[in-house]
Amino acid sequence: MALVEDHAVLADALRLILADSGLEVVAVPLTAGETTATLVQDVLRARAEVVLLDLQLGPAGDGGRVIEPLTAHGQRVVVLTGVSDPVRWGECLAKGAVTVLLKSGQLDPIVTIIHRVAQGLPVLPPARREELVQLWNATANAAGTRQKRLSYLTPREAEVLRQLVHGKRVAEVAREAYVSEATVRTQVKSILAKLGVSSQLAAVAMARDAGWGSPREPP
C-alpha cells in the first residue's frame, strides 16, 4: 500500500498501525510544488495496488488531482481526509476513488475498510456512491452555469458588480466613476438580466459564490 500524507507524525502512525494489521505500507515522499505527473510517478514507483491518499498535502498541493490518473493506472484509491464536505467526497468518487474516509473516524473501522479494499471487496453501498456523485455533478453544473452567466457581463458591468460585492452603494459607484446614478442603475439592470436574477442581492450572492469577494477574485 502506498501512503500519501504530508503530516509526518500522522503518516508514521498510520504506517505502523497498518503494518501491525498485516499490510505493507510505503510512504510516498512529497515535495513543495510537486506537479501532478511527478506525484503520480512517485506513487506508482511504490508498486502498490492500493493508495491511501490525503486531499490536503500542504506544500505539495491538492491530492485530489491525482485520483483520476492513478485510477487510470489501475490503482485503488482510498481517500483519508479531514475534509467532511459531501460535495468534495462526491468529486473524489466521480474521479474514481473507491471510498472516502474521515481521519477523525475510529481507527479500527478504517483499518477494516482498507483491508477490504486490498482484498478487492466492496466497501461503499452503490446507492451512497450514486448519491454523493450526483451531489457533486449538480454542484459542478450549477457552478458552470454561474460562470457562463458571469462571462456575459461587459468589463464595466463586471466592475460595477465587483464594487457591489464589496459593499458599495449605487451612489458610491456612480461618484467614483464620475457618472450619474441613473447610468449605474441601468448597468445594474443589465447585470440582473444577464445573470438571470431579480435582485441586486441575488447578483451579489452569485458573484460571491464564484469567489469574487475573496482575495483571489477574478481580475
Side-chain angles (χ1 to χ4, degrees), residues 90 93 122-135:
L93 296 172
V123 294
L124 184 66
R128 177 57 173 165
R129 172 181 287 273
E130 183 178 358
E131 176 189 354
L132 290 169
V133 170
Q134 286 183 351
L135 178 61

Side-chain angles (χ1 to χ4, degrees), residues 78-139:
V78 175
V79 174
L80 181 62
T81 178
V83 177
S84 59
D85 180 6
V87 174
R88 190 72 204 277
W89 286 31
E91 179 187 7
C92 294
L93 296 172
K95 289 181 176 180
V98 176
T99 191
V100 182
L101 305 174
L102 270 178
K103 287 182 178 180
S104 58
Q106 295 183 351
L107 285 176
D108 286 347
I110 290 175
V111 171
T112 298
I113 290 173
I114 292 172
H115 271 278
R116 288 182 62 86
V117 173
Q119 296 166 20
L121 299 175
V123 294
L124 184 66
R128 177 57 173 165
R129 172 181 287 273
E130 183 178 358
E131 176 189 354
L132 290 169
V133 170
Q134 286 183 351
L135 178 61
W136 156 247
N137 285 334
T139 303

Side-chain angles (χ1 to χ4, degrees), residues 153 161 164 185-204:
L153 302 182
L161 179 55
L164 295 177
R185 293 190 186 282
T186 298
Q187 292 167 336
V188 170
K189 184 177 180 180
S190 177
I191 290 169
L192 300 185
K194 289 180 179 180
L195 297 186
V197 296
S198 59
S199 70
Q200 184 175 307
L201 184 62
V204 167

Side-chain angles (χ1 to χ4, degrees), residues 161-172:
L161 179 55
R162 187 170 290 106
Q163 291 187 45
L164 295 177
V165 167
H166 285 90
K168 293 185 179 179
R169 298 179 179 276
V170 167
E172 294 178 89

